[in-house]
mmCIF file of all heavy atoms in Angstrom:
data_model
loop_
_atom_site.group_PDB
_atom_site.id
_atom_site.type_symbol
_atom_site.label_atom_id
_atom_site.label_comp_id
_atom_site.label_asym_id
_atom_site.label_seq_id
_atom_site.Cartn_x
_atom_site.Cartn_y
_atom_site.Cartn_z
ATOM 1 N N CYS A 1432 -174.309 65.224 190.550
ATOM 2 C CA CYS A 1432 -174.629 64.307 189.445
ATOM 3 C C CYS A 1432 -176.103 64.463 189.065
ATOM 4 O O CYS A 1432 -176.996 64.161 189.862
ATOM 5 C CB CYS A 1432 -174.337 62.861 189.857
ATOM 6 S SG CYS A 1432 -174.851 61.635 188.644
ATOM 7 N N PHE A 1433 -176.364 64.929 187.847
ATOM 8 C CA PHE A 1433 -177.743 65.114 187.396
ATOM 9 C C PHE A 1433 -178.429 63.781 187.104
ATOM 10 O O PHE A 1433 -179.662 63.734 187.037
ATOM 11 C CB PHE A 1433 -177.771 66.010 186.152
ATOM 12 C CG PHE A 1433 -177.765 67.478 186.476
ATOM 13 C CD1 PHE A 1433 -176.571 68.168 186.604
ATOM 14 C CD2 PHE A 1433 -178.949 68.162 186.689
ATOM 15 C CE1 PHE A 1433 -176.560 69.519 186.908
ATOM 16 C CE2 PHE A 1433 -178.948 69.507 187.002
ATOM 17 C CZ PHE A 1433 -177.747 70.196 187.121
ATOM 18 N N ALA A 1434 -177.680 62.722 186.911
ATOM 19 C CA ALA A 1434 -178.311 61.411 186.740
ATOM 20 C C ALA A 1434 -179.004 60.993 188.036
ATOM 21 O O ALA A 1434 -180.107 60.429 188.015
ATOM 22 C CB ALA A 1434 -177.273 60.371 186.330
ATOM 23 N N HIS A 1435 -178.375 61.270 189.182
ATOM 24 C CA HIS A 1435 -179.017 60.991 190.465
ATOM 25 C C HIS A 1435 -180.247 61.880 190.665
ATOM 26 O O HIS A 1435 -181.295 61.422 191.126
ATOM 27 C CB HIS A 1435 -178.030 61.231 191.613
ATOM 28 C CG HIS A 1435 -177.049 60.120 191.794
ATOM 29 N ND1 HIS A 1435 -175.949 59.956 190.990
ATOM 30 C CD2 HIS A 1435 -177.002 59.104 192.703
ATOM 31 C CE1 HIS A 1435 -175.263 58.890 191.385
ATOM 32 N NE2 HIS A 1435 -175.875 58.359 192.412
ATOM 33 N N LEU A 1436 -180.102 63.167 190.331
ATOM 34 C CA LEU A 1436 -181.222 64.090 190.491
ATOM 35 C C LEU A 1436 -182.403 63.669 189.617
ATOM 36 O O LEU A 1436 -183.556 63.636 190.072
ATOM 37 C CB LEU A 1436 -180.760 65.503 190.138
ATOM 38 C CG LEU A 1436 -181.767 66.642 190.326
ATOM 39 C CD1 LEU A 1436 -181.038 67.921 190.736
ATOM 40 C CD2 LEU A 1436 -182.549 66.910 189.047
ATOM 41 N N ARG A 1437 -182.122 63.339 188.357
ATOM 42 C CA ARG A 1437 -183.192 62.917 187.450
ATOM 43 C C ARG A 1437 -183.872 61.657 187.950
ATOM 44 O O ARG A 1437 -185.097 61.518 187.867
ATOM 45 C CB ARG A 1437 -182.608 62.680 186.053
ATOM 46 C CG ARG A 1437 -183.659 62.279 185.019
ATOM 47 C CD ARG A 1437 -183.015 61.805 183.728
ATOM 48 N NE ARG A 1437 -183.999 61.482 182.719
ATOM 49 C CZ ARG A 1437 -184.677 60.333 182.654
ATOM 50 N NH1 ARG A 1437 -184.461 59.382 183.565
ATOM 51 N NH2 ARG A 1437 -185.566 60.123 181.696
ATOM 52 N N ARG A 1438 -183.080 60.718 188.468
ATOM 53 C CA ARG A 1438 -183.647 59.456 188.935
ATOM 54 C C ARG A 1438 -184.655 59.676 190.056
ATOM 55 O O ARG A 1438 -185.690 59.005 190.133
ATOM 56 C CB ARG A 1438 -182.535 58.518 189.387
ATOM 57 C CG ARG A 1438 -183.024 57.120 189.777
ATOM 58 C CD ARG A 1438 -181.864 56.212 190.112
ATOM 59 N NE ARG A 1438 -180.971 56.087 188.977
ATOM 60 C CZ ARG A 1438 -179.677 56.385 189.019
ATOM 61 N NH1 ARG A 1438 -179.130 56.833 190.147
ATOM 62 N NH2 ARG A 1438 -178.919 56.245 187.956
ATOM 63 N N LYS A 1439 -184.373 60.636 190.945
ATOM 64 C CA LYS A 1439 -185.289 60.885 192.052
ATOM 65 C C LYS A 1439 -186.624 61.424 191.548
ATOM 66 O O LYS A 1439 -187.693 61.055 192.060
ATOM 67 C CB LYS A 1439 -184.648 61.842 193.051
ATOM 68 C CG LYS A 1439 -183.486 61.214 193.820
ATOM 69 C CD LYS A 1439 -182.955 62.125 194.886
ATOM 70 C CE LYS A 1439 -181.811 61.453 195.649
ATOM 71 N NZ LYS A 1439 -182.247 60.249 196.378
ATOM 72 N N PHE A 1440 -186.601 62.298 190.547
ATOM 73 C CA PHE A 1440 -187.861 62.790 189.978
ATOM 74 C C PHE A 1440 -188.549 61.702 189.164
ATOM 75 O O PHE A 1440 -189.777 61.595 189.177
ATOM 76 C CB PHE A 1440 -187.597 64.026 189.116
ATOM 77 C CG PHE A 1440 -187.391 65.276 189.913
ATOM 78 C CD1 PHE A 1440 -186.117 65.805 190.086
ATOM 79 C CD2 PHE A 1440 -188.462 65.924 190.501
ATOM 80 C CE1 PHE A 1440 -185.923 66.955 190.824
ATOM 81 C CE2 PHE A 1440 -188.285 67.079 191.250
ATOM 82 C CZ PHE A 1440 -187.006 67.596 191.411
ATOM 83 N N TYR A 1441 -187.760 60.890 188.474
ATOM 84 C CA TYR A 1441 -188.346 59.802 187.685
ATOM 85 C C TYR A 1441 -189.066 58.803 188.588
ATOM 86 O O TYR A 1441 -190.158 58.323 188.261
ATOM 87 C CB TYR A 1441 -187.247 59.105 186.887
ATOM 88 C CG TYR A 1441 -187.731 57.910 186.097
ATOM 89 C CD1 TYR A 1441 -188.346 58.070 184.860
ATOM 90 C CD2 TYR A 1441 -187.571 56.618 186.594
ATOM 91 C CE1 TYR A 1441 -188.799 56.980 184.139
ATOM 92 C CE2 TYR A 1441 -188.024 55.523 185.884
ATOM 93 C CZ TYR A 1441 -188.636 55.709 184.662
ATOM 94 O OH TYR A 1441 -189.085 54.623 183.948
ATOM 95 N N GLU A 1442 -188.470 58.494 189.727
ATOM 96 C CA GLU A 1442 -189.087 57.535 190.650
ATOM 97 C C GLU A 1442 -190.332 58.111 191.330
ATOM 98 O O GLU A 1442 -191.142 57.352 191.863
ATOM 99 C CB GLU A 1442 -188.069 57.119 191.713
ATOM 100 C CG GLU A 1442 -186.942 56.255 191.159
ATOM 101 C CD GLU A 1442 -185.868 55.966 192.180
ATOM 102 O OE1 GLU A 1442 -185.913 56.576 193.274
ATOM 103 O OE2 GLU A 1442 -184.980 55.127 191.901
ATOM 104 N N SER A 1443 -190.497 59.433 191.305
ATOM 105 C CA SER A 1443 -191.693 60.040 191.903
ATOM 106 C C SER A 1443 -192.837 60.147 190.907
ATOM 107 O O SER A 1443 -193.942 60.571 191.274
ATOM 108 C CB SER A 1443 -191.360 61.441 192.433
ATOM 109 O OG SER A 1443 -191.128 62.354 191.372
ATOM 110 N N LEU A 1444 -192.600 59.771 189.643
ATOM 111 C CA LEU A 1444 -193.642 59.866 188.623
ATOM 112 C C LEU A 1444 -194.689 58.770 188.802
ATOM 113 O O LEU A 1444 -194.342 57.584 188.813
ATOM 114 C CB LEU A 1444 -193.024 59.728 187.229
ATOM 115 C CG LEU A 1444 -192.406 60.969 186.589
ATOM 116 C CD1 LEU A 1444 -191.644 60.565 185.338
ATOM 117 C CD2 LEU A 1444 -193.473 61.979 186.256
ATOM 118 N N PRO A 1445 -195.953 59.119 188.916
ATOM 119 C CA PRO A 1445 -196.991 58.074 188.868
ATOM 120 C C PRO A 1445 -197.124 57.537 187.450
ATOM 121 O O PRO A 1445 -196.639 58.145 186.488
ATOM 122 C CB PRO A 1445 -198.255 58.821 189.311
ATOM 123 C CG PRO A 1445 -197.985 60.248 189.017
ATOM 124 C CD PRO A 1445 -196.507 60.451 189.165
ATOM 125 N N SER A 1446 -197.773 56.404 187.320
ATOM 126 C CA SER A 1446 -197.854 55.755 186.012
ATOM 127 C C SER A 1446 -198.601 56.597 184.988
ATOM 128 O O SER A 1446 -198.336 56.514 183.793
ATOM 129 C CB SER A 1446 -198.541 54.392 186.158
ATOM 130 O OG SER A 1446 -199.823 54.544 186.746
ATOM 131 N N ASN A 1447 -199.560 57.419 185.433
ATOM 132 C CA ASN A 1447 -200.366 58.221 184.509
ATOM 133 C C ASN A 1447 -200.068 59.710 184.652
ATOM 134 O O ASN A 1447 -200.954 60.555 184.521
ATOM 135 C CB ASN A 1447 -201.846 57.965 184.741
ATOM 136 C CG ASN A 1447 -202.248 58.239 186.195
ATOM 137 O OD1 ASN A 1447 -201.381 58.397 187.060
ATOM 138 N ND2 ASN A 1447 -203.546 58.293 186.447
ATOM 139 N N ALA A 1448 -198.818 60.061 184.944
ATOM 140 C CA ALA A 1448 -198.463 61.457 185.193
ATOM 141 C C ALA A 1448 -198.624 62.288 183.919
ATOM 142 O O ALA A 1448 -198.087 61.915 182.868
ATOM 143 C CB ALA A 1448 -197.039 61.552 185.709
ATOM 144 N N PRO A 1449 -199.343 63.417 183.967
ATOM 145 C CA PRO A 1449 -199.434 64.301 182.793
ATOM 146 C C PRO A 1449 -198.108 65.006 182.558
ATOM 147 O O PRO A 1449 -197.320 65.185 183.488
ATOM 148 C CB PRO A 1449 -200.531 65.295 183.202
ATOM 149 C CG PRO A 1449 -200.500 65.303 184.694
ATOM 150 C CD PRO A 1449 -200.118 63.912 185.103
ATOM 151 N N PRO A 1450 -197.833 65.432 181.330
ATOM 152 C CA PRO A 1450 -196.535 66.047 181.032
ATOM 153 C C PRO A 1450 -196.338 67.406 181.690
ATOM 154 O O PRO A 1450 -195.216 67.900 181.732
ATOM 155 C CB PRO A 1450 -196.543 66.169 179.508
ATOM 156 C CG PRO A 1450 -197.986 66.155 179.124
ATOM 157 C CD PRO A 1450 -198.671 65.290 180.124
ATOM 158 N N ASP A 1451 -197.420 68.014 182.192
ATOM 159 C CA ASP A 1451 -197.261 69.308 182.846
ATOM 160 C C ASP A 1451 -197.109 69.186 184.361
ATOM 161 O O ASP A 1451 -197.081 70.196 185.063
ATOM 162 C CB ASP A 1451 -198.441 70.222 182.520
ATOM 163 C CG ASP A 1451 -199.784 69.619 182.939
ATOM 164 O OD1 ASP A 1451 -199.798 68.416 183.289
ATOM 165 O OD2 ASP A 1451 -200.785 70.339 182.902
ATOM 166 N N SER A 1452 -196.999 67.945 184.881
ATOM 167 C CA SER A 1452 -196.756 67.771 186.310
ATOM 168 C C SER A 1452 -195.327 68.188 186.639
ATOM 169 O O SER A 1452 -194.450 68.207 185.763
ATOM 170 C CB SER A 1452 -196.993 66.314 186.727
ATOM 171 O OG SER A 1452 -196.049 65.464 186.112
ATOM 172 N N VAL A 1453 -195.099 68.525 187.890
ATOM 173 C CA VAL A 1453 -193.777 69.002 188.300
ATOM 174 C C VAL A 1453 -192.714 67.939 188.036
ATOM 175 O O VAL A 1453 -191.640 68.236 187.483
ATOM 176 C CB VAL A 1453 -193.790 69.395 189.790
ATOM 177 C CG1 VAL A 1453 -192.385 69.777 190.257
ATOM 178 C CG2 VAL A 1453 -194.746 70.549 190.024
ATOM 179 N N ALA A 1454 -193.000 66.684 188.410
ATOM 180 C CA ALA A 1454 -192.002 65.624 188.229
ATOM 181 C C ALA A 1454 -191.695 65.404 186.750
ATOM 182 O O ALA A 1454 -190.532 65.262 186.355
ATOM 183 C CB ALA A 1454 -192.497 64.325 188.864
ATOM 184 N N ALA A 1455 -192.750 65.380 185.909
ATOM 185 C CA ALA A 1455 -192.535 65.152 184.476
ATOM 186 C C ALA A 1455 -191.741 66.295 183.845
ATOM 187 O O ALA A 1455 -190.861 66.072 183.008
ATOM 188 C CB ALA A 1455 -193.873 64.985 183.768
ATOM 189 N N GLN A 1456 -192.038 67.525 184.252
ATOM 190 C CA GLN A 1456 -191.302 68.663 183.712
ATOM 191 C C GLN A 1456 -189.839 68.637 184.168
ATOM 192 O O GLN A 1456 -188.931 68.960 183.394
ATOM 193 C CB GLN A 1456 -191.955 69.972 184.144
ATOM 194 C CG GLN A 1456 -193.313 70.229 183.495
ATOM 195 C CD GLN A 1456 -193.848 71.600 183.867
ATOM 196 O OE1 GLN A 1456 -193.255 72.618 183.504
ATOM 197 N NE2 GLN A 1456 -194.964 71.630 184.589
ATOM 198 N N ALA A 1457 -189.611 68.249 185.431
ATOM 199 C CA ALA A 1457 -188.230 68.165 185.921
ATOM 200 C C ALA A 1457 -187.441 67.121 185.145
ATOM 201 O O ALA A 1457 -186.280 67.350 184.759
ATOM 202 C CB ALA A 1457 -188.239 67.830 187.411
ATOM 203 N N VAL A 1458 -188.058 65.959 184.894
ATOM 204 C CA VAL A 1458 -187.402 64.923 184.097
ATOM 205 C C VAL A 1458 -187.125 65.438 182.683
ATOM 206 O O VAL A 1458 -186.051 65.198 182.108
ATOM 207 C CB VAL A 1458 -188.262 63.645 184.049
ATOM 208 C CG1 VAL A 1458 -187.706 62.644 183.040
ATOM 209 C CG2 VAL A 1458 -188.327 63.000 185.434
ATOM 210 N N ALA A 1459 -188.084 66.169 182.114
ATOM 211 C CA ALA A 1459 -187.913 66.691 180.759
ATOM 212 C C ALA A 1459 -186.766 67.700 180.697
ATOM 213 O O ALA A 1459 -185.992 67.722 179.727
ATOM 214 C CB ALA A 1459 -189.215 67.330 180.279
ATOM 215 N N TYR A 1460 -186.644 68.567 181.703
ATOM 216 C CA TYR A 1460 -185.528 69.516 181.735
ATOM 217 C C TYR A 1460 -184.187 68.773 181.808
ATOM 218 O O TYR A 1460 -183.219 69.148 181.133
ATOM 219 C CB TYR A 1460 -185.669 70.459 182.924
ATOM 220 C CG TYR A 1460 -186.558 71.652 182.677
ATOM 221 C CD1 TYR A 1460 -187.660 71.903 183.497
ATOM 222 C CD2 TYR A 1460 -186.303 72.538 181.640
ATOM 223 C CE1 TYR A 1460 -188.492 73.001 183.276
ATOM 224 C CE2 TYR A 1460 -187.116 73.640 181.413
ATOM 225 C CZ TYR A 1460 -188.213 73.866 182.235
ATOM 226 O OH TYR A 1460 -189.018 74.949 182.017
ATOM 227 N N CYS A 1461 -184.133 67.736 182.642
ATOM 228 C CA CYS A 1461 -182.891 66.943 182.725
ATOM 229 C C CYS A 1461 -182.573 66.281 181.387
ATOM 230 O O CYS A 1461 -181.412 66.274 180.947
ATOM 231 C CB CYS A 1461 -183.022 65.887 183.819
ATOM 232 S SG CYS A 1461 -183.082 66.543 185.502
ATOM 233 N N ASP A 1462 -183.601 65.748 180.730
ATOM 234 C CA ASP A 1462 -183.384 65.116 179.431
ATOM 235 C C ASP A 1462 -182.873 66.120 178.408
ATOM 236 O O ASP A 1462 -182.002 65.805 177.578
ATOM 237 C CB ASP A 1462 -184.684 64.488 178.934
ATOM 238 C CG ASP A 1462 -185.083 63.258 179.733
ATOM 239 O OD1 ASP A 1462 -184.217 62.728 180.441
ATOM 240 O OD2 ASP A 1462 -186.257 62.847 179.654
ATOM 241 N N GLN A 1463 -183.414 67.341 178.451
ATOM 242 C CA GLN A 1463 -182.948 68.359 177.520
ATOM 243 C C GLN A 1463 -181.488 68.714 177.784
ATOM 244 O O GLN A 1463 -180.701 68.889 176.855
ATOM 245 C CB GLN A 1463 -183.820 69.611 177.634
ATOM 246 C CG GLN A 1463 -183.502 70.644 176.560
ATOM 247 C CD GLN A 1463 -184.216 71.956 176.784
ATOM 248 O OE1 GLN A 1463 -184.556 72.296 177.914
ATOM 249 N NE2 GLN A 1463 -184.457 72.705 175.715
ATOM 250 N N ALA A 1464 -181.127 68.804 179.067
ATOM 251 C CA ALA A 1464 -179.730 69.109 179.410
ATOM 252 C C ALA A 1464 -178.788 68.025 178.902
ATOM 253 O O ALA A 1464 -177.733 68.321 178.312
ATOM 254 C CB ALA A 1464 -179.598 69.267 180.926
#
């Protein structure tokens, strides 16, 4: 389930995470999918 996978990366995002951080990029890839 990619919803579970995305949630784990989303919960690891700090409040001021830049868009090029690993967690932000992983969330963005899931959103694109």
Side-chain angles (χ1 to χ4, degrees):
C1432 174
F1433 275 90
H1435 282 78
L1436 184 147
R1437 182 191 183 279
R1438 185 176 301 123
K1439 290 185 179 296
F1440 282 104
Y1441 177 82
E1442 290 174 351
S1443 70
L1444 277 170
S1446 57
N1447 56 348
D1451 58 349
S1452 65
V1453 175
Q1456 291 185 65
V1458 171
Y1460 276 123
C1461 291
D1462 289 344
Q1463 188 188 26

